[in-house]
Amino acid sequence: MKRFCFPLFIFCLFINVAIGQVRYGVQGSIQAATVASTVNFTSFSPTLGTLTVPINQRVGFRAGLMADYPITIRLSVRPQLLYSVKGGNVDVGTFVANVLTRFSVTSAPFRIDNPISKVIINYVELPVTVMCGLELGPGRLVVGAGPYAAVAVGGSINGEAINFNTGNFRKYDLGATGSLGYELPMGLTFSAYYTHGLINFSKNSTPNLSSLNPTNPPASLDPSAFGGTLQNRSFGVSVGYFLRSQN
């Protein structure tokens, strides 16, 4: 339970500082997530350069609580406490083929039995954004930007649970987020957002080609075993509702 305490404390702090002024509500999102990953092969030879790991988007969701603390008529600070499902579908087969091409190997020495690795990571996420609202029609056009912090609370690779204590994934993530939305006086909100992870959450930074050997299937399915960088990316659309109007 300790992993929930810090983000919950920060969220409650924003609420308690401005009790009677803050609006609070709920939101839900459909999001497409992926992981940006590259492997640096220059330790083998400077001419080999870096190679991008092909990781396709996977559809998940994001949902939780939000509060809105007004600073001026147009500006506010909006903390959110969210459960966010991220990850991606790693195209191991294509990555192996690209590695072999980079090393001038003309034919694959082995068959990849699991060419797609489905990675799911579940986070408790705390974005804190500065919002700017402009009157437009019956409601307000709202633009927001700010940082987020997150902690992984679970995940799996092809159905096998991820152990963040002993595995190759770090459980903490930091990044930036931006949003564009529209709010109605009744409390309904609609928005689109993008999050950009800034931290490499792989513990393994050294290129490791042996992980691609199918005699070690668990490692071959873990993109962090390739020895590259891993950074979260996601975008989505949200619908929210503020339960109480701002005084």
Side-chain angles (χ1 to χ4, degrees):
M1 293 299 294
K2 290 183 179 179
R3 57 193 174 191
F4 295 99
C5 292
F6 180 70
L8 183 59
F9 169 76
I10 296 297
F11 183 80
C12 291
L13 181 61
F14 274 98
I15 294 178
N16 290 332
V17 165
I19 190 69
Q21 297 179 332
V22 69
R23 296 183 298 164
Y24 54 95
V26 295
Q27 66 162 280
S29 309
I30 296 176
Q31 71 178 5
T34 187
V35 177
S37 179
T38 58
V39 180
N40 189 340
F41 290 111
T42 55
S43 59
F44 295 99
S45 172
T47 61
L48 293 176
T50 61
L51 189 63
T52 298
V53 180
I55 302 179
N56 301 318
Q57 294 176 350
R58 70 174 309 277
V59 176
F61 72 92
R62 192 179 79 163
L65 307 175
M66 59 181 176
D68 191 77
Y69 170 50
I71 300 174
T72 68
I73 294 176
R74 291 187 176 180
L75 294 178
S76 65
V77 175
R78 185 169 298 180
Q80 303 166 69
L81 183 60
L82 307 170
Y83 185 86
S84 181
V85 179
K86 295 184 176 181
N89 297 323
V90 186
D91 192 340
V92 179
T94 297
F95 179 68
V96 170
N98 292 341
V99 170
L100 296 177
T101 300
R102 186 65 59 93
F103 282 83
S104 301
V105 178
T106 57
S107 60
F110 49 75
R111 186 183 69 182
I112 302 297
D113 292 328
N114 295 286
I116 301 295
S117 177
K118 298 179 180 179
V119 179
I120 299 173
I121 305 178
N122 305 316
Y123 289 95
V124 171
E125 193 169 277
L126 179 68
V128 179
T129 55
V130 175
M131 312 296 293
C132 179
L134 303 173
E135 300 299 325
L136 181 65
R140 297 195 313 159
L141 181 69
V142 182
V143 179
Y148 78 84
V151 58
V153 293
S156 64
I157 301 174
N158 284 354
E160 296 292 327
I162 297 173
N163 188 324
F164 291 94
N165 294 321
T166 61
N168 290 326
F169 290 144
R170 294 187 177 94
K171 65 170 59 177
Y172 299 104
D173 187 29
L174 291 172
T177 182
S179 66
L180 175 65
Y182 192 78
E183 298 181 354
L184 294 171
M186 68 182 68
L188 278 175
T189 70
F190 307 90
S191 65
Y193 65 88
Y194 173 72
T195 67
H196 190 95
L198 300 175
I199 285 184
N200 173 21
F201 64 88
S202 173
K203 299 178 184 177
N204 187 11
S205 59
T206 304
N208 180 16
L209 298 182
S210 64
S211 66
L212 300 177
N213 192 323
T215 60
N216 188 11
S220 68
L221 296 176
D222 183 345
S224 66
F226 303 154
T229 60
L230 300 174
Q231 294 176 308
N232 281 309
R233 305 282 189 266
S234 67
F235 66 91
V237 291
S238 298
V239 177
Y241 181 70
F242 283 108
L243 303 177
R244 187 178 65 189
S245 297
Q246 182 178 338
N247 294 336

